[in-house]
């Protein structure tokens, strides 16, 4: 009987029509869903112009020695042609093993920065969401106040913190009144890292709080009532009901937080400007420094750092989504 079933399956596979080619499948899809194709075309064109072309151009630059001295330019009526040459993977080799070896320290600090900031923003947002989900007097006012750091434009928030963290600012004034050390938040390397993490946490936790608050309100209250009737403690209700119920939300916002924090240019640059020491620069600000903060401007090196950042995020996102899918299947 098993042999007969296998033989029939092989015969059905042989009798099945061959799979159509790519062009035929695209034509068939267009005939069936032409309206969707028409609606998506403007978005695809915009993305191709604003994202696709610069990305391809940047990848090409990484294989050259392009800088501000050998790139073609027009001065008056005179045109100077391109004079940069193809160097292959030399830019990547120099970044990883060159005499300056600047990429590795910036990469290590970027990983530390990302992990600490995501843990603090997610943890703070989750804790505040649990508090704001409880019935209390003035809950709407508290929610509005906690959303303000996210609603205010980032540059206003960061500049405000820059004034507060200056040597004569309110933060050091408060620390001095409490007879505590007063670090140089904007010049000492270790204090600058702590300040950057705290400011980024302040900017990022409202989004996490709102996301978790929406997830909490979607969890049926009957689950909490059943757990309470079974004698579950508040901590057990949190770990056995709240966290599993928030898994779809937490997995998404954590991934978004990692991507945003890894590429967080605004906080680092606006808080310390171009005078920030190299020890506090993450990979994206280091790429900006190579492109705009030195002479000659290193176009190829900056593009190589950008491609490395993109590759790291793509690989991490793939593994993260696969890990989350595996956990959801196991659950």
């Amino acid at each position: 009987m098993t042999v007969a079933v296998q033989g029939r399956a092989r015969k059905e596979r042989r009798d099945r029509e061959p799979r159509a080619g790519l062009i035929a499948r695209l034509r068939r899809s267009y005939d069936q869903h032409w309206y969707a194709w028409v609606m998506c075309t403007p978005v695809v064109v915009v993305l191709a112009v604003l994202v696709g072309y610069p990305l391809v151009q940047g990848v090409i630059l990484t294989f050259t020695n392009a800088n501000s001295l050998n790139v073609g330019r027009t001065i008056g009526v005179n045109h100077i042609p391109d004079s940069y040459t193809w160097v292959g993977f030399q830019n990547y080799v120099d970044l990883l093993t060159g005499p300056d070896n600047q990429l590795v320290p910036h990469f290590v600090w970027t990983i530390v920065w990302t992990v600490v900031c995501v843990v603090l923003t997610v943890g703070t947002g989750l804790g505040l969401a649990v508090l704001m989900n409880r019935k209390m007097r003035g809950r709407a006012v508290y929610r509005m106040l906690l959303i303000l750091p996210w609603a205010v434009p980032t540059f206003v928030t960061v500049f405000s913190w820059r004034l507060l963290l200056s040597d004569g600012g309110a933060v050091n004034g408060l620390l001095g009144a409490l007879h505590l050390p007063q670090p140089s938040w904007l010049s000492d390397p270790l204090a600058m890292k702590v300040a950057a993490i705290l400011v980024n946490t302040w900017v990022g936790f409202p989004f996490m709080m709102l996301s978790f608050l929406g997830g909490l309100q979607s969890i049926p209250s009957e689950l909490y009532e059943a757990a309470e009737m079974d004698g579950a403690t508040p901590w057990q209700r949190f770990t056995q009901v709240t966290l599993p119920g928030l898994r779809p939300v937490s997995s998404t916002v954590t991934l978004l937080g990692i991507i945003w924090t890894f590429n967080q240019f605004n906080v680092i640059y606006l808080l310390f400007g171009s005078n920030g020491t190299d020890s506090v620069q993450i990979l994206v600000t280091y790429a900006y420094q190579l492109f705009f903060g030195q002479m000659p401007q290193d176009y190829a090196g900056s593009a190589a750092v950008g491609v490395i950042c993109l590759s790291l995020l793509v690989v991490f996102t793939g593994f993260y989504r696969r890990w989350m899918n595996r956990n959801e299947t196991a659950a």
Side-chain angles (χ1 to χ4, degrees):
M1 178 172 161
T2 304
V3 174
V5 171
Q6 292 177 349
R8 184 171 57 186
R10 294 194 189 97
K11 184 177 180 181
E12 289 178 355
R13 284 196 296 267
R14 286 195 302 266
D15 295 341
R16 189 181 304 166
E17 295 182 0
R19 187 179 181 182
L22 177 61
I23 302 300
R25 294 201 304 270
L26 290 176
R27 185 181 295 111
R28 186 186 307 162
S29 176
Y30 178 78
D31 293 337
Q32 296 176 354
H33 311 289
W34 65 270
Y35 183 78
W37 280 76
V38 172
M39 296 298 293
C40 291
T41 299
V43 179
V44 173
V45 172
V46 171
L47 289 177
V49 174
L50 298 181
V51 179
Y53 174 76
L55 179 61
V56 173
Q57 187 68 20
V59 173
I60 294 174
L61 283 178
T62 62
F63 300 107
T64 67
N65 60 351
N67 57 49
S68 58
L69 299 180
N70 55 26
V71 171
R73 54 198 178 277
T74 301
I75 302 176
V77 296
N78 300 318
H79 176 72
I80 302 175
D82 295 330
S83 59
Y84 57 84
T85 58
W86 189 270
V87 296
F89 291 95
Q90 189 60 43
N91 289 310
Y92 297 98
V93 175
D94 292 341
L95 286 172
L96 297 173
T97 62
D100 296 335
N101 196 19
Q102 292 292 318
L103 184 69
V104 175
H106 290 301
F107 171 74
V108 173
W109 162 234
T110 303
I111 298 300
V112 174
W113 150 269
T114 303
V115 172
V116 175
C117 287
V118 170
V119 170
L120 289 177
T121 53
V122 172
T124 305
L126 178 58
L128 291 174
V130 172
L131 291 177
M132 292 297 101
N133 195 44
R134 302 175 61 183
K135 294 182 179 180
M136 63 177 67
R137 181 175 298 178
R139 182 173 60 176
V141 177
Y142 296 143
R143 289 181 179 179
M144 183 186 66
L145 293 176
L146 290 172
I147 293 173
L148 282 179
W150 187 47
V152 175
T154 304
F155 76 93
V156 176
T157 302
V158 176
F159 283 158
S160 300
W161 274 106
R162 186 169 182 173
L163 293 175
L164 293 173
L165 294 171
S166 60
D167 292 338
V171 175
N172 279 349
L174 178 61
L175 293 176
L178 298 175
H179 303 287
L180 295 175
Q182 303 178 41
S184 298
W185 298 104
L186 303 180
S187 58
D188 180 69
L190 180 59
M192 292 170 69
K193 292 180 178 180
V194 175
I197 291 173
L198 293 179
V199 173
N200 189 70
T201 303
W202 174 266
V203 173
F205 82 84
F207 171 78
M208 299 296 177
M209 183 193 70
L210 288 177
S211 300
F212 284 125
L213 189 58
L216 286 172
Q217 293 177 350
S218 66
I219 300 176
S221 59
E222 292 80 4
L223 296 178
Y224 291 101
E225 296 174 358
E228 189 174 358
M229 293 180 61
D230 290 340
T233 63
W235 176 252
Q236 288 174 333
R237 293 197 297 268
F238 177 75
T239 57
Q240 302 299 323
V241 179
T242 302
L243 290 183
L246 287 176
R247 186 177 290 114
V249 176
S250 61
S251 61
T252 302
V253 298
T254 301
L255 179 60
L256 290 176
I258 291 172
I259 295 174
W260 290 343
T261 307
F262 192 90
N263 290 322
Q264 181 58 271
F265 175 85
N266 296 334
V267 170
I268 299 292
Y269 186 78
L270 294 177
L271 190 60
F272 307 114
S274 58
N275 297 324
T277 61
D278 286 340
S279 61
V280 79
Q281 302 292 341
I282 59 176
L283 286 177
V284 292
T285 56
Y286 175 57
Y288 178 86
Q289 193 73 14
L290 291 177
F291 199 100
F292 294 103
Q294 65 180 29
M295 288 300 296
Q297 296 169 302
D298 190 359
Y299 299 156
S302 177
V305 175
V307 170
I308 291 174
C309 292
L310 176 63
S311 303
L312 290 173
L313 288 176
V314 169
V315 172
F316 170 79
T317 302
F319 279 104
Y320 180 84
R321 298 304 301 176
R322 184 176 301 177
W323 176 68
M324 291 302 304
N325 293 335
R326 187 183 306 161
N327 288 344
E328 291 177 1
T329 302

